[in-house]
Amino acid sequence: MSDEELAKDLGLVSAMTIGIGTMIGAGIFVLPGVAAQAAGPIVVVSFVVGGVIAMVNAFSVSELGTAMPKAGGGYYYVNRALGPLFGSIAGMGDWMGLAFASAFYSIGFGQYLATLAPIPGFLFLTDIQVGALIAGTAFVLVNYVGAKETGGVQTVIVTLLLAILGVFAVQGWLSFDYATLSGDGGLAPMGAGAILPGTALVFVSFLGYAKIATVAEELKNPGRNLPLAVIGSVAIVTVLYAILVSIMLGVVPWPELSQDAPLTQATEAAFPGGYAGIAVTVVTGGALLATASSANASILASARINFAMGRDKIVTNWLNEIHPNYATPYRSILVTGAMIVVFIAALGQDIEVLSKAASVLHLVVYALMNAALIVFRETDAPEYDPDFTVPLYPLTPIAGMALSLGLLAFVGGRELALSAVFVVGAVVWYFAYARKHTPKRGLLGQYVRDRQASLPDSVVGAAETVAPDGTGDATGTPTVMVALSNPRTERALMTIAGGLAKAKGGSVLATHIVQVPDQTTLAAAAEQRSELLQESEELLADARGDAERFEVDVETRTILSHQGVAEVFDAAREHDADTLVLGYGGAQLAGGRVEGTLDELTHDLPCDVLVLNEREFDPGRVLLPTAGGYSSDLSAELARALRDAVDAEVSVLYVAGEDESEAAGREFLGEWAADHGLADAELLVESGDVETAIRDAAADQSLVVIGATEEGLLSRVVRGSLTLSVLENIDASVLLAERPHSRSLRERLFG
C-alpha cells in the first residue's frame, strides 16, 4: 500500500520546529546534571562545541536533502553513494542509534515522572526504569496503532516548551549568581581537557536536526527552507543550551545539580517560595512532553529507515509487513520496541551509556554522509542537483568527517565497544544476507569499476569483494511504472513501457489502482480481495504476458486507495519509478501538462511521465515534433526505444518561425537529431502555424510523441494550449512526454 500524497504544506517555521522539538527533549531536561558532574561548569562549552560539530554536519545534510529528498535520509544517501555495505552500516547504525536514543528519552521521562508520583521499583529495576518502561511501551503502542504526527502539532509543542524555558530563563537570570557558577574550583575544576569528553556525552542533544531532511518532499520551497530550517534549528538550540545551562549552574552549584531532574531543581531554587510549586509543576510537565515527543519521533523515524532498507533489500520485507487494521509496519515497530525495552532494563541505571551509544552510532552515520556528499560531487551523479551547496567545498564535508570521527576518541571504551558490536553486526548481516539480495552497486563502486585499468589492483579487488551479487548497475535497475486502468489500453501502455524498459536495461512495474469508496475502510476492502480484485488480477495477468515479449522483468501490483487516480503519482514516488506511463483518461491534464491545475502550482512530478491518448495504437510510424524544449530529451529517448524494440520508423519535425529560413531550421534539426541518437530518422522541416504543421505531418503517422508545454497555467488558460489541441484533434495516437524540472511559482503561473 502506498503512502498518502505528500503535499508541500510545511513552511519554514514548521520545519524548524521538527528539528528543535526533537533536540530539545534531551539537551536541557535530562543531561545538564550528569554532564556537570563529568566536566564542571565548563560543560557549557561542551554544549557549544557539540553545536559547532552539528552545524558543520548540518551544511552537508542540507545539500544532500535538497539534492535528493528521499525517505530514509542518511541511509539513502550513504547507500546510493558508497554502496550497500556502507549502506548497511548507516541503516543499521541509524536504526540502533534511534533505539538507544528512544531508551534514553524514556529514561528522561521516567526521571521526571518519578518527581510527580511515587513509582515502586521491581526486581532489579529502579523506580525510574519502571517509569521508563511504562513510557517506552506506551510510545511503541502509539506508533503501532498509527497515531499521526503533524507539523502543526509539533509547532504547538515546541512553542509551549520555548515559552516554559523562556519564563525559566528570565526568572533564573534574576536569581543568577556568578559565584555559584564558578564555585570553589573555578570554571574548569577538572581542567579544559574535560570539554571534549563532556561534548561526547551531550552530543545526543543534537540528533534531531537531520530529521528535517526526511520531510524535504513536504517542504514549501525546499531549496531555501530546508537549509534555513536545518542550520537555523541547530543555531537556535545551541544558543538556547548555552544560556539555560549557564543559568542552571548559576542557580544551583554544579556538584549539587540533580542528575535525575536538573531543571526541576533549578526551577525550585530560582522561583520565590509562593510560585515555586506551580513553576516546578509546569516545568515537569514540559519535561514529560519534551521527552515523550522526542521518543515518539525516534520510533517513527526508525520505521521509515526500515522501509528504505527493505526497498533496497538490505533487510527482508518481512520486517515491513503492514498491519491489516492499522496500516503500520507493526513488525518493525515491535522489534524496535523490544530493543528499547531491553536497553532500558539492561542499561537504564547508567544514562551515560545510552546517550553515548546513541551519539556514537549517529556520529558514524554523519561521517559516512559527508563522505557520500564528496562521492556525489566527484562522480558527477546525473540525479544529484542540489539547490543548496555547502560552503568551502571540499573542506566542509572533510571537516564534518574529521570532527564526527574525532569525537569518538572521547566517548569511552564501554560505549565504543557496545556500538562496535552493532557496526560489526551490520557488516556480518551484509555478507550473510543483504549482499545476496540487494541489486544496487553504489556510485563509488561503479566509479572504481569504470577506472579499473588505471587504479591499483588492491583497490579494484576490494571494491569487487564487497560489491553486491546482484546487477552492480550504478543507478540500480531503472523502473518503468505503468498505471493501468482498463483492458482496452493495457497492451498499448505495456508496449511503450516494455520497449522503454528494454532500452534502459530496467524492469516494468505494472500497477492497477482500485478505488475504494470513502465509506469503506481500506482494511475492510482488503478482506474482500477475492471479490474486489478479480478484474484487477486478470488485467495484470495480461500485462505480465505483454511485458514478457520484451524479455524484461515485470512486477505487478494492485493498490487499494481512496484517492483513485491521485494515487498514481504517490505510487511512483513510493517505488522510486524512473518513468511513469499512463493513459490520457487518468492524467487530468491541465492545459498541456501532466499535473492537475492545483498540482501544477504546488508539486513537481515524481519522475519522467508519458501520457498516451490512444487511437488504434500502432507504434510502427512515429512522428516526433521538437523545438528543443526541456522535455524533448525524453521524447527522443522514447523514439529510440520504439525504434529498437519494435522497428519503428521515426520522423522528426521542426516548424520554423516566421523570421527563420528553412535552411536554418534544417541545420538545427539535423544537429538536434544527431545529438539525440536519431541521425537515421527522417527529418521534416515546415513553416507556418505549428498546430497545423503537426496535424498535416501526423496524417501519415501512427503515433505522435510530443513534449509538454513550458507555458504557465494562466497564460494557457487565456490563450489555450497547443498540446491539448494536438492530443484531441488528430487521428493518430498521441504520447505526451514530460520531464520534471524545477519551476518557481511565477513560472508556474505565467510561463
Side-chain angles (χ1 to χ4, degrees), residues 496-514:
I496 295 169
L500 194 57
K502 184 174 183 178
K504 288 173 170 282
S507 61
V508 173
L509 171 64
T511 63
H512 183 212
I513 311 293
V514 176

mmCIF file of all heavy atoms in Angstrom, residues 496-514:
data_model
loop_
_atom_site.group_PDB
_atom_site.id
_atom_site.type_symbol
_atom_site.label_atom_id
_atom_site.label_comp_id
_atom_site.label_asym_id
_atom_site.label_seq_id
_atom_site.Cartn_x
_atom_site.Cartn_y
_atom_site.Cartn_z
ATOM 1 N N ILE A 496 4.695 0.410 -24.754
ATOM 2 C CA ILE A 496 5.556 1.570 -24.509
ATOM 3 C C ILE A 496 6.489 1.297 -23.337
ATOM 4 O O ILE A 496 7.705 1.526 -23.407
ATOM 5 C CB ILE A 496 4.696 2.813 -24.234
ATOM 6 C CG1 ILE A 496 3.903 3.182 -25.482
ATOM 7 C CG2 ILE A 496 5.551 3.984 -23.767
ATOM 8 C CD1 ILE A 496 2.835 4.229 -25.239
ATOM 9 N N ALA A 497 5.942 0.787 -22.247
ATOM 10 C CA ALA A 497 6.744 0.531 -21.053
ATOM 11 C C ALA A 497 7.787 -0.549 -21.291
ATOM 12 O O ALA A 497 8.944 -0.422 -20.877
ATOM 13 C CB ALA A 497 5.836 0.135 -19.894
ATOM 14 N N GLY A 498 7.367 -1.633 -21.963
ATOM 15 C CA GLY A 498 8.308 -2.717 -22.222
ATOM 16 C C GLY A 498 9.456 -2.286 -23.118
ATOM 17 O O GLY A 498 10.619 -2.622 -22.871
ATOM 18 N N GLY A 499 9.142 -1.530 -24.181
ATOM 19 C CA GLY A 499 10.194 -1.053 -25.069
ATOM 20 C C GLY A 499 11.155 -0.130 -24.354
ATOM 21 O O GLY A 499 12.381 -0.204 -24.541
ATOM 22 N N LEU A 500 10.616 0.752 -23.515
ATOM 23 C CA LEU A 500 11.470 1.695 -22.794
ATOM 24 C C LEU A 500 12.323 0.976 -21.755
ATOM 25 O O LEU A 500 13.510 1.280 -21.581
ATOM 26 C CB LEU A 500 10.595 2.755 -22.123
ATOM 27 C CG LEU A 500 11.289 4.009 -21.605
ATOM 28 C CD1 LEU A 500 12.050 4.706 -22.718
ATOM 29 C CD2 LEU A 500 10.272 4.962 -20.996
ATOM 30 N N ALA A 501 11.728 0.006 -21.043
ATOM 31 C CA ALA A 501 12.486 -0.745 -20.044
ATOM 32 C C ALA A 501 13.614 -1.541 -20.696
ATOM 33 O O ALA A 501 14.722 -1.630 -20.154
ATOM 34 C CB ALA A 501 11.558 -1.678 -19.266
ATOM 35 N N LYS A 502 13.350 -2.102 -21.854
ATOM 36 C CA LYS A 502 14.394 -2.857 -22.552
ATOM 37 C C LYS A 502 15.529 -1.937 -22.959
ATOM 38 O O LYS A 502 16.709 -2.288 -22.829
ATOM 39 C CB LYS A 502 13.794 -3.549 -23.776
ATOM 40 C CG LYS A 502 14.795 -4.447 -24.509
ATOM 41 C CD LYS A 502 14.123 -5.219 -25.624
ATOM 42 C CE LYS A 502 15.118 -6.173 -26.291
ATOM 43 N NZ LYS A 502 14.475 -6.967 -27.363
ATOM 44 N N ALA A 503 15.197 -0.749 -23.448
ATOM 45 C CA ALA A 503 16.229 0.200 -23.852
ATOM 46 C C ALA A 503 17.058 0.667 -22.663
ATOM 47 O O ALA A 503 18.259 0.905 -22.773
ATOM 48 C CB ALA A 503 15.588 1.399 -24.548
ATOM 49 N N LYS A 504 16.419 0.806 -21.497
ATOM 50 C CA LYS A 504 17.101 1.275 -20.297
ATOM 51 C C LYS A 504 17.835 0.155 -19.561
ATOM 52 O O LYS A 504 18.601 0.412 -18.630
ATOM 53 C CB LYS A 504 16.086 1.897 -19.329
ATOM 54 C CG LYS A 504 15.517 3.246 -19.742
ATOM 55 C CD LYS A 504 14.404 3.638 -18.771
ATOM 56 C CE LYS A 504 13.953 5.070 -18.984
ATOM 57 N NZ LYS A 504 14.869 6.047 -18.403
ATOM 58 N N GLY A 505 17.560 -1.108 -19.933
ATOM 59 C CA GLY A 505 18.086 -2.214 -19.155
ATOM 60 C C GLY A 505 17.417 -2.325 -17.808
ATOM 61 O O GLY A 505 18.034 -2.723 -16.818
ATOM 62 N N GLY A 506 16.120 -1.965 -17.767
ATOM 63 C CA GLY A 506 15.401 -1.926 -16.498
ATOM 64 C C GLY A 506 14.274 -2.924 -16.425
ATOM 65 O O GLY A 506 14.249 -3.929 -17.142
ATOM 66 N N SER A 507 13.326 -2.637 -15.546
ATOM 67 C CA SER A 507 12.199 -3.533 -15.318
ATOM 68 C C SER A 507 10.904 -2.739 -15.379
ATOM 69 O O SER A 507 10.902 -1.505 -15.355
ATOM 70 C CB SER A 507 12.326 -4.227 -13.957
ATOM 71 O OG SER A 507 12.332 -3.269 -12.921
ATOM 72 N N VAL A 508 9.773 -3.473 -15.438
ATOM 73 C CA VAL A 508 8.453 -2.857 -15.517
ATOM 74 C C VAL A 508 7.690 -3.168 -14.236
ATOM 75 O O VAL A 508 7.690 -4.307 -13.759
ATOM 76 C CB VAL A 508 7.666 -3.373 -16.737
ATOM 77 C CG1 VAL A 508 6.236 -2.853 -16.718
ATOM 78 C CG2 VAL A 508 8.357 -2.955 -18.032
ATOM 79 N N LEU A 509 7.059 -2.146 -13.684
ATOM 80 C CA LEU A 509 6.141 -2.321 -12.568
ATOM 81 C C LEU A 509 4.755 -1.929 -13.058
ATOM 82 O O LEU A 509 4.489 -0.755 -13.317
ATOM 83 C CB LEU A 509 6.545 -1.438 -11.381
ATOM 84 C CG LEU A 509 5.543 -1.373 -10.224
ATOM 85 C CD1 LEU A 509 5.379 -2.744 -9.577
ATOM 86 C CD2 LEU A 509 5.966 -0.338 -9.180
ATOM 87 N N ALA A 510 3.872 -2.923 -13.231
ATOM 88 C CA ALA A 510 2.508 -2.667 -13.695
ATOM 89 C C ALA A 510 1.590 -2.565 -12.484
ATOM 90 O O ALA A 510 1.525 -3.480 -11.660
ATOM 91 C CB ALA A 510 2.039 -3.789 -14.620
ATOM 92 N N THR A 511 0.901 -1.438 -12.363
ATOM 93 C CA THR A 511 0.025 -1.217 -11.216
ATOM 94 C C THR A 511 -1.406 -0.992 -11.678
ATOM 95 O O THR A 511 -1.655 -0.452 -12.755
ATOM 96 C CB THR A 511 0.476 0.003 -10.394
ATOM 97 O OG1 THR A 511 0.377 1.173 -11.209
ATOM 98 C CG2 THR A 511 1.896 -0.157 -9.908
ATOM 99 N N HIS A 512 -2.326 -1.422 -10.842
ATOM 100 C CA HIS A 512 -3.737 -1.141 -11.071
ATOM 101 C C HIS A 512 -4.295 -0.539 -9.791
ATOM 102 O O HIS A 512 -4.293 -1.182 -8.741
ATOM 103 C CB HIS A 512 -4.499 -2.418 -11.437
ATOM 104 C CG HIS A 512 -5.945 -2.161 -11.762
ATOM 105 N ND1 HIS A 512 -6.935 -3.073 -11.504
ATOM 106 C CD2 HIS A 512 -6.567 -1.087 -12.320
ATOM 107 C CE1 HIS A 512 -8.108 -2.583 -11.889
ATOM 108 N NE2 HIS A 512 -7.905 -1.376 -12.381
ATOM 109 N N ILE A 513 -4.720 0.717 -9.868
ATOM 110 C CA ILE A 513 -5.287 1.396 -8.711
ATOM 111 C C ILE A 513 -6.774 1.064 -8.635
ATOM 112 O O ILE A 513 -7.534 1.381 -9.548
ATOM 113 C CB ILE A 513 -5.107 2.922 -8.801
ATOM 114 C CG1 ILE A 513 -3.654 3.273 -9.144
ATOM 115 C CG2 ILE A 513 -5.563 3.587 -7.518
ATOM 116 C CD1 ILE A 513 -2.666 2.934 -8.090
ATOM 117 N N VAL A 514 -7.181 0.416 -7.564
ATOM 118 C CA VAL A 514 -8.590 0.110 -7.348
ATOM 119 C C VAL A 514 -9.131 1.111 -6.336
ATOM 120 O O VAL A 514 -8.692 1.142 -5.179
ATOM 121 C CB VAL A 514 -8.776 -1.322 -6.824
ATOM 122 C CG1 VAL A 514 -10.240 -1.587 -6.512
ATOM 123 C CG2 VAL A 514 -8.265 -2.325 -7.856
#
